[in-house]
Amino acid sequence: MDFQPTQEQEDLRAGVRALLSRRFGREALRAAVDRAEAGGAGGVDRGLWRELGGAGFFALRLPEADGGVGLGLAEAVLVFEEAGRALLPGPLVATHLAAGRVEGAADGTAVVTAFDLGDRPAAAAGPPGRLVAHLAEADAVLGAGGCTEAPAALLPAARPVPSADPLTPLHRVPPPGPGPDARLRDEGALLTAALQLGSALRTVELAVRYAAQREQFGRPIGAFQAVQHLCSGMLVRAEVARTAVYAAAVCADAADRAGAAGAAGAAGFGAAVAAEIAGAKLLADRAAAANARDCLQVHGGMGFTWEADVHLHLKRAWVRAEQWRTAAAAEEALAAELLADAQERGREGASYARDGSL
């Protein structure tokens, strides 16, 4: 079996990279950051959103009969990886998941966010509630079972919350109904992992390029073993995360084809695939944050300046790590699957010891 991307998948990736390079290159990114810091728009460019919709970004997995492209998660993670590489802001995952559920989401004429961040329990310090990203810019908020709430109904009681990422404005809203169901959480976690993967790979590129250009003691700093070790560690983390994200996407698509996900419905893909997705999210979150930190280290003092882009990758990685599935939730899912597997093996071993057959 060949696990390499097909030529069609590589063409899809290249097309998305070309589109984002043309419409959201570095100058557009920095202009968006400057606007956000000045108190302007929080990151969603409606014109770009519609262009993404026209290119099939949000309708990628909708059946062709419903006006979509008819592809799977294996292709979606490639597209979202490119969006993560470009640090494209906005509720990309929620709008993608809302395609076919919320009018206008598929073609990018609607911006949909989701209850994809954690709750603050009533016993915790400060007012209870749930964080929502891009609430003021959204047309709908995705919740349980694909149901939505109107941002206008939430905004009067919402409180702005300082965000680490200047392009991800946050509000805390009073505790609403339940958040997205297991199936949406699994899909959202996998697509967010793909965004994190793209950021992790981009920071490898930034670190290696800077190490080749910056000279110290008469030679590029990339010639020094300490810098080489940092860059190689970044590459290893990114490639391990890439393998996990791609594998989880393939497993999820296989579950869909086998009908397992359809049978489970809102319950999700099943424990095994959910554990694959949890592992992918955990590895991608760690790769994105750790690679951004090491990229800062390679850049030295320059990496901490506002003009460098490295800090934007780190801040976005921190926010994404809390979306759809946190590290704690991913670890719990993996532990539960490992325990279930160990118990099953224990039962098989006891059966073999009892009657000599499995």
Side-chain angles (χ1 to χ4, degrees):
M1 184 175 291
D2 185 4
F3 286 100
Q4 295 297 318
T6 65
Q7 186 59 52
E8 290 78 8
Q9 289 170 335
E10 291 289 4
D11 291 342
L12 175 65
R13 186 210 303 269
V16 173
R17 180 174 295 194
L19 169 62
L20 294 179
S21 177
R22 175 174 56 84
R23 287 290 280 109
F24 198 74
R26 185 178 186 277
E27 290 185 3
L29 170 64
R30 300 306 307 208
V33 171
D34 291 342
R35 285 194 302 272
E37 286 296 301
V44 177
D45 178 341
R46 290 276 182 164
L48 174 57
W49 212 255
R50 288 190 294 270
E51 192 166 344
L52 289 172
F57 190 100
F58 302 119
L60 190 70
R61 295 188 301 124
L62 273 183
E64 292 183 73
D66 296 332
V69 185
L71 299 177
L73 279 166
E75 289 77 23
V77 296
L78 298 178
V79 168
F80 275 78
E81 179 185 327
E82 291 302 317
R85 182 180 181 275
L87 279 181
L88 184 65
L92 298 163
V93 173
T95 304
H96 178 91
L97 295 178
R101 294 182 171 94
V102 177
E103 185 178 357
D107 60 10
T109 56
V111 175
V112 183
T113 186
F115 296 117
D116 59 356
L117 287 156
D119 292 318
R120 174 183 283 169
R130 187 188 292 268
L131 287 175
V132 181
H134 301 282
L135 180 64
E137 302 168 285
D139 300 303
V141 185
L142 192 63
C147 297
T148 60
E149 294 195 39
L154 298 171
L155 277 170
R159 299 168 58 92
V161 176
S163 175
D165 176 22
L167 294 181
T168 308
L170 299 174
H171 283 79
R172 188 177 298 282
V173 301
D181 54 41
R183 173 63 187 250
L184 287 176
R185 285 200 308 272
D186 286 340
E187 292 181 348
L190 181 55
L191 296 175
T192 304
L195 291 171
Q196 295 280 59
L197 170 61
S199 179
L201 290 166
R202 178 57 178 161
T203 50
V204 174
E205 296 173 6
L206 293 174
V208 171
R209 185 176 67 189
Y210 186 80
Q213 294 173 346
R214 177 75 167 91
E215 292 191 0
Q216 191 62 268
F217 305 111
R219 53 179 172 163
I221 62 172
F224 297 103
Q225 193 174 59
V227 176
Q228 293 172 358
H229 283 176
L230 281 175
C231 293
S232 62
M234 291 172 66
L235 180 62
V236 169
R237 278 192 295 264
E239 290 299 331
V240 169
R242 189 208 297 264
T243 301
V245 170
Y246 289 5
V250 169
C251 289
D253 280 343
D256 268 338
R257 287 193 296 270
F269 287 103
V273 176
E276 291 279 352
I277 293 173
K281 179 66 161 57
L282 192 62
L283 288 168
D285 285 344
R286 289 178 176 174
N291 277 16
R293 288 196 300 268
D294 282 354
C295 189
L296 280 169
Q297 186 72 23
V298 171
H299 279 71
M302 174 61 73
F304 288 87
T305 63
W306 184 254
E307 290 74 15
D309 295 340
V310 188
H311 68 96
L312 298 175
H313 283 275
L314 181 57
K315 293 169 181 176
R316 187 73 60 84
W318 285 338
V319 173
R320 285 179 182 150
E322 299 300 316
Q323 290 183 300
W324 296 102
R325 193 184 292 276
T326 63
E331 288 166 352
E332 287 294 332
L334 286 169
E337 177 62 15
L338 288 171
L339 178 60
D341 184 64
Q343 290 173 337
E344 178 63 26
R345 290 177 183 273
R347 286 191 291 269
E348 290 177 353
S351 174
Y352 181 79
R354 185 175 59 251
D355 55 30
S357 62
L358 290 178

